Amino acid sequence: MDNAVRLIEADARRSADTHLLRYPLPSRWAGDVDVALYLKDETTHITGSLKHRLARSLFLYSLCNGWIGEDTTVIEASSGSTAVSEAYFAAMLGLPFIAVMPASTSAAKIALIESQGGRCHFVSESAEVYAEAQRLAEQTNGHYLDQFTNAERATDWRGNNNIAESIFQQLGEETHPVPEWIVVGAGTGGTSATIGRYIRYRRYPTRLCVVDPENSAFFPSYEQGADVVTGASSRIEGIGRPRVEPSFVPGVVDRMISVPDSGSVAVAHHVGRVLGRRVGPSTGTNMWGAFKLLAEMIENGCSGSVVTLLADSGDRYDDTYFCDEWLTSHGMEPSESAASLAEFERSGRWS
Ligand SMILES: *Cc1c(COP(=O)(O)O)cnc(C)c1O
């Protein structure tokens, strides 16, 4: 156990923090309102997404709880990115790893898990992953990490260089160092829980907005104040769930915005062109929300900053979100949002 914790801490110590990029907004809006948009670039983690933070926290939490021993099989229910990061830590500790994933998971993610010695076990619907992971854990006498339950509790929400503390520190010398809004999506809900709690703990006036894709249970449940189960798979990888996950903490969320899937993809394509590199679809969802909030600030004459996340790179989605045939066959039509995006670029208005 001692050595396992040391290996994880040593890996963290050798790693640098992720960048906070300033997103280039059209300068011709410049009038009375001064707004800025920042992107916390979580793609630069060794395993390519913000799930690197979660995987590290889950392994440390499980080790320190005595749930993982020297040859425990480690199991996770995942839509892909978490398993990629967990396979990395399992390999580092020399532990067998099994990822239970929907059959729709991208080939690139499967290859990344397998290249690190992880095994992939598929189910047909994303709602089946939990019970199957539990069953495998019992069968192998292994440990089910259970990101959807443990994400919010395994993360140090008061600081310890968590994502929230890092964002506020990196904004320190900016014109608007305390953002009006931080915008994130929810998969486990862990990132929004950590940021929302940190904002309250540090007594910042910043508000937290969670953006949610079609088919997800988070948005309707938040609106209705009751647990809604959609049972349907999200089409935006990494975010949106068929049920409200235990790690989602609605009490720290100030606002939720439901984002159409075609819009998420359109904005991801657009942001990729602006930045000169592809971003994943959940980053499109984040940026849709950020654009909408910026447009409201401009309309209300409110200067300030907005922060959101570049959650993962688009390179994992060559044959899905960056393939026209795949988009059409999945009922997504990004070109429908072209007019809204052009209008936002031109005028700072968002419809
Ligand atoms: C997991 C994930 C999210 C959401 O983060 P949570 O902390 O699990 O809510 C967003 N985007 C991508 C690409 C993800 O993998």
Side-chain angles (χ1 to χ4, degrees):
M1 204 281 283
D2 236 44
N3 196 45
V5 172
R6 181 187 65 79
L7 286 170
I8 295 174
E9 290 294 283
D11 180 73
R13 195 182 285 259
R14 293 192 305 273
S15 307
D17 199 355
T18 59
H19 306 299
L20 188 66
L21 309 176
R22 197 175 161 140
Y23 183 82
L25 294 170
S27 53
R28 61 184 176 281
W29 296 343
D32 302 337
V33 191
D34 169 33
V35 290
L37 174 58
Y38 299 89
L39 268 169
K40 180 70 167 157
D41 183 2
E42 293 291 292
T43 68
T44 61
H45 289 291
I46 298 162
T47 58
S49 81
L50 82 169
K51 289 305 188 320
H52 196 77
R53 295 179 191 272
L54 174 61
R56 178 191 291 145
S57 298
L58 288 171
F59 269 91
L60 285 174
Y61 187 63
S62 299
L63 284 162
C64 295
N65 277 321
W67 295 338
I68 294 180
E70 283 204 2
D71 43 26
T72 306
T73 298
V74 178
I75 294 154
E76 183 62 292
S78 171
S79 61
S81 291
T82 304
V84 171
S85 300
E86 288 167 346
Y88 170 85
F89 286 100
M92 177 193 294
L93 305 182
L95 300 170
F97 178 71
I98 306 173
V100 180
M101 303 187 295
S104 58
T105 304
S106 74
K109 285 187 189 171
I110 295 165
L112 283 167
I113 293 162
E114 290 177 344
S115 73
Q116 299 179 101
R119 242 178 67 202
C120 298
H121 180 98
F122 298 103
V123 294
S124 52
E125 286 296 320
S126 67
E128 297 166 32
V129 290
Y130 320 99
E132 187 61 9
Q134 187 66 52
R135 192 189 66 76
L136 279 175
E138 281 157 24
Q139 188 190 308
T140 58
N141 199 19
H143 175 62
Y144 171 26
L145 288 167
D146 195 357
Q147 58 166 333
F148 294 108
T149 301
N150 293 316
E152 63 78 13
R153 59 198 73 162
T155 305
D156 297 324
W157 55 273
R158 277 170 288 200
N160 194 13
N161 198 36
N162 68 24
I163 191 167
E165 185 175 62
S166 170
I167 289 169
F168 279 92
Q169 271 176 6
Q170 289 177 320
L171 283 169
E173 302 295 326
E174 300 303 304
T175 314
H176 304 288
V178 177
E180 289 295 310
W181 289 99
I182 297 180
V183 183
V184 297
T188 63
T191 305
S192 62
T194 301
I195 293 173
R197 286 167 173 164
Y198 185 83
I199 288 170
R200 281 160 180 72
Y201 179 58
R202 297 298 299 266
R203 292 177 282 123
Y204 287 122
T206 304
R207 284 164 292 172
L208 174 65
C209 174
V210 171
V211 284
D212 205 35
E214 292 171 31
N215 294 336
S216 176
F218 293 125
F219 179 79
S221 300
Y222 186 82
E223 289 286 289
Q224 296 166 31
D227 266 13
V228 173
V229 176
T230 68
S233 303
S234 162
R235 294 186 299 182
I236 303 297
E237 261 192 60
I239 59 169
R241 299 296 307 165
R243 64 172 201 191
V244 177
E245 301 297 348
S247 272
F248 181 71
V249 181
V252 301
V253 178
D254 297 292
R255 178 170 173 185
M256 285 196 72
I257 297 173
S258 174
V259 179
D261 293 348
S262 294
S264 293
V265 176
V267 175
H269 289 175
H270 171 81
V271 167
R273 282 189 296 272
V274 172
L275 296 178
R277 62 185 171 122
R278 286 178 171 184
V279 304
S282 78
T283 302
T285 317
N286 287 343
M287 291 293 274
W288 172 289
F291 288 166
K292 184 179 165 70
L293 293 169
L294 283 167
E296 288 180 10
M297 287 166 64
I298 291 165
E299 193 181 347
N300 298 332
C302 162
S303 295
S305 58
V306 173
V307 179
T308 191
L309 309 183
L310 210 174
D312 69 353
S313 149
D315 297 339
R316 291 175 174 183
Y317 307 108
D318 263 354
D319 42 13
T320 54
Y321 303 100
F322 292 93
C323 168
D324 290 340
E325 294 84 66
W326 185 91
L327 286 169
T328 306
S329 70
H330 285 73
M332 287 183 261
E333 202 32 86
S335 58
E336 283 167 7
S337 301
S340 302
L341 274 165
E343 178 61 17
F344 179 69
E345 286 278 301
R346 196 186 62 76
S347 65
R349 283 192 290 269
W350 185 252
S351 54

